[in-house]
């Protein structure tokens, strides 16, 4: 799962989760930003592709490294 969170004053304002597939806001400003960002189709497709870029391509390497140490 790919998660990108934004914080302000140690409080989570907005989060993108690949399992949900969209931004979710936790404050008034976060909700407004989430609505705007979720409407941008090209930006959302780029965020959904982040899971492939960061997670899927590296999980096999990390998993193999853990198995050799156990």
């Amino acid at each position: 799962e790919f998660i990108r969170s934004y914080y302000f004053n140690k409080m989570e304002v907005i989060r993108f989760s690949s399992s949900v597939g969209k931004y979710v806001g936790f404050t008034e400003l976060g909700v407004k930003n989430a609505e705007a960002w979720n409407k941008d189709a090209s930006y959302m497709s780029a965020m959904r592709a982040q899971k492939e870029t960061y997670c899927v391509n590296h999980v096999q390497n990390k998993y193999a490294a853990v198995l050799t140490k156990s």
Side-chain angles (χ1 to χ4, degrees):
E1 180 177 13
F2 175 77
I3 297 174
R4 177 172 285 174
S5 297
Y6 296 90
Y7 291 85
F8 182 73
N9 285 342
K10 298 182 182 180
M11 187 169 135
E12 189 173 23
V13 177
I14 191 169
R15 175 191 303 166
F16 176 84
S17 174
S18 64
S19 63
V20 177
K22 65 179 186 174
Y23 279 97
V24 177
F26 299 106
T27 63
E28 184 179 345
L29 179 62
V31 170
K32 289 179 183 179
N33 283 333
E35 289 173 0
W37 294 349
N38 288 334
K39 289 179 185 177
D40 188 355
S42 63
Y43 183 68
M44 291 306 295
S45 65
M47 287 305 298
R48 290 183 185 115
Q50 296 294 317
K51 180 178 180 181
E52 298 293 325
T53 303
Y54 291 107
C55 301
V56 176
N57 291 331
H58 296 100
V59 73
Q60 187 61 34
N61 295 336
K62 300 293 183 188
Y63 188 67
V66 169
L67 288 180
T68 59
K69 293 179 182 177
S70 59

